[in-house]
Amino acid sequence: MADKLDRVLIARAKRGDVRSLEALVRRYLRPAFAVALALLRNVADAEDLAQEALMVALQRLEQCRDPDRFAPWLLTSVRHRAINQLHQRSFRVGVIDGERRGENIEASAARIDLRERLTAALEELTEVQREVVLLHDLEGWTHPEIADAIEISEVASRQTLFVARQRLRRALADESQEEARHE
Amino acid sequence: MSSDRLDFSPLDPKRDPERFERMVRKVTSGVQSASAPAPVLLDFWRWGRLGLVAAALLALGAWLPNLTIGQLPATDTVALVSSWAQSGEVPANVDLIQTLGALDEQ
């Protein structure tokens, strides 16, 4: 995460190098999405917000004086935007707008069902638990990286992940049992 | 630890590589278009800067003679007295008192 590559990419992007800019987008779009999803709990809104927040952060790259702190700087901005959005709008929770995404609804029905189940299960967690589990299991960040980015200790990150996974598994199992009962 | 990992792939924006690429391009082009100033603004900025330099030069040209001529008698009383002496000019009483007063203060 906050390594030499980041420093190089940020320095080059500041000088207007498009490839470095694109590399930063590739690198940080999914972490930004993970944090946005943890707060907004809606895939479509989280994707939109992640793109917008990343765009603005990269436009203001000059303000990021310490490239080693780019990830925390970006994720803090994502969090603030998400909180603002939550205050301003009422959100559709867990509803996926298939048409908007340009997907074939029939073909993606199973995937959407899975997505809905996952987003519903994520509802059972706290914001921090969602952030940790998504950054770890979706993005693949390590505990030191997560701890640095969301400003908690490594121990807290490990404990939070453990509890979050337990609660998610329980929620998903409950949903499966509920469905089986209906069938 | 990794075996405990939950499968979030249905939520993963990278699950559809083409769509993810579109998102990457959208963000990248958004950053680029915002950081490049509009041509009209760029022209305005260039000409504005030139205009500012020209105005500063004109002001300097107009004020420089006044500054150099006007400052000598007021700030340098010794030079004033010597100029009276050289030209043989008899100063007015008021000028003489003011000048001598200034010399006393120095």
Side-chain angles (χ1 to χ4, degrees):
Chain A
M1 186 178 57
D3 54 15
K4 197 183 170 189
L5 181 60
D6 266 1
R7 278 199 293 277
V8 172
L9 289 175
I10 289 168
R12 285 181 183 170
K14 278 181 179 176
R15 291 198 297 268
D17 181 48
V18 182
R19 283 188 182 184
S20 301
L21 191 69
E22 204 174 296
L24 282 169
V25 176
R26 265 180 229 289
R27 208 163 157 77
Y28 284 104
L29 189 55
R30 201 164 58 171
F33 165 77
V35 171
L37 182 63
L39 276 103
L40 300 179
R41 289 165 284 163
N42 178 284
V43 175
D45 290 331
E47 282 184 354
D48 288 346
L49 188 130
Q51 290 176 70
E52 188 191 314
L54 190 54
M55 197 187 295
V56 172
L58 291 171
Q59 281 165 4
R60 297 175 183 170
L61 209 49
E62 290 297 331
Q63 291 174 16
C64 178
R65 289 176 186 168
D66 184 359
D68 287 346
R69 308 290 301 158
F70 178 73
W73 181 70
L74 169 69
L75 298 188
T76 302
S77 159
V78 172
R79 208 171 293 121
H80 287 162
R81 278 174 180 275
I83 290 165
N84 284 343
Q85 227 180 77
L86 283 171
H87 286 157
Q88 284 166 8
R89 296 186 206 165
S90 59
F91 282 90
R92 301 160 294 129
V93 177
V95 177
I96 308 300
D97 185 348
E99 276 182 9
R100 183 179 163 194
R101 326 209 70 70
E103 287 178 341
N104 180 327
I105 292 175
E106 268 183 45
S108 59
R111 192 190 299 146
I112 287 172
D113 178 51
L114 269 172
R115 258 192 265 175
E116 283 179 343
R117 285 177 59 195
L118 276 168
T119 44
L122 283 167
E123 289 280 330
E124 302 295 317
L125 308 184
T126 64
E127 279 177 16
V128 177
Q129 285 172 341
R130 283 194 290 269
E131 280 189 33
V132 171
V133 78
L134 286 169
L135 286 172
H136 191 279
D137 287 359
L138 174 65
E139 180 55 25
W141 278 10
T142 62
H143 287 293
E145 288 172 338
I146 294 168
D148 183 50
I150 68 170
E151 291 170 343
I152 57 172
S153 69
E154 276 185 51
V155 175
S157 176
R158 283 176 202 282
Q159 286 172 345
T160 306
L161 180 68
F162 180 76
V163 175
R165 279 173 171 170
Q166 270 190 332
R167 291 178 73 172
L168 273 176
R169 287 208 166 91
R170 206 178 304 136
L172 289 167
D174 287 349
E175 274 185 47
S176 301
Q177 281 176 0
E178 193 71 25
E179 277 176 23
R181 215 175 294 147
H182 284 299
E183 284 168 7
Chain B
M1 201 71 173
S2 59
S3 60
D4 293 337
R5 197 179 288 267
L6 284 161
D7 180 16
F8 282 110
S9 59
L11 301 176
D12 190 349
K14 287 185 180 174
R15 69 187 176 272
D16 181 347
E18 278 182 27
R19 210 172 141 266
F20 185 75
E21 282 308 307
R22 279 202 299 274
M23 287 164 75
V24 169
R25 280 198 297 274
K26 188 181 158 192
V27 175
T28 310
S29 60
V31 177
Q32 283 178 286
S33 62
S35 49
V40 176
L41 280 177
L42 204 66
D43 283 349
F44 183 77
W45 181 72
R46 276 187 200 137
W47 287 109
R49 206 168 56 159
L50 270 177
L52 211 67
V53 171
L57 283 173
L58 279 172
L60 197 67
W63 283 100
L64 204 59
N66 286 349
L67 288 174
T68 49
I69 294 164
Q71 266 178 2
L72 187 64
T75 56
D76 193 346
T77 46
V78 176
L80 179 63
V81 172
S82 67
S83 74
W84 286 337
Q86 279 174 358
S87 63
E89 181 191 346
V90 179
N93 287 344
V94 178
D95 291 341
L96 199 60
I97 290 164
Q98 279 180 347
T99 310
L100 291 175
L103 276 173
D104 281 348
E105 283 170 14
Q106 284 176 2

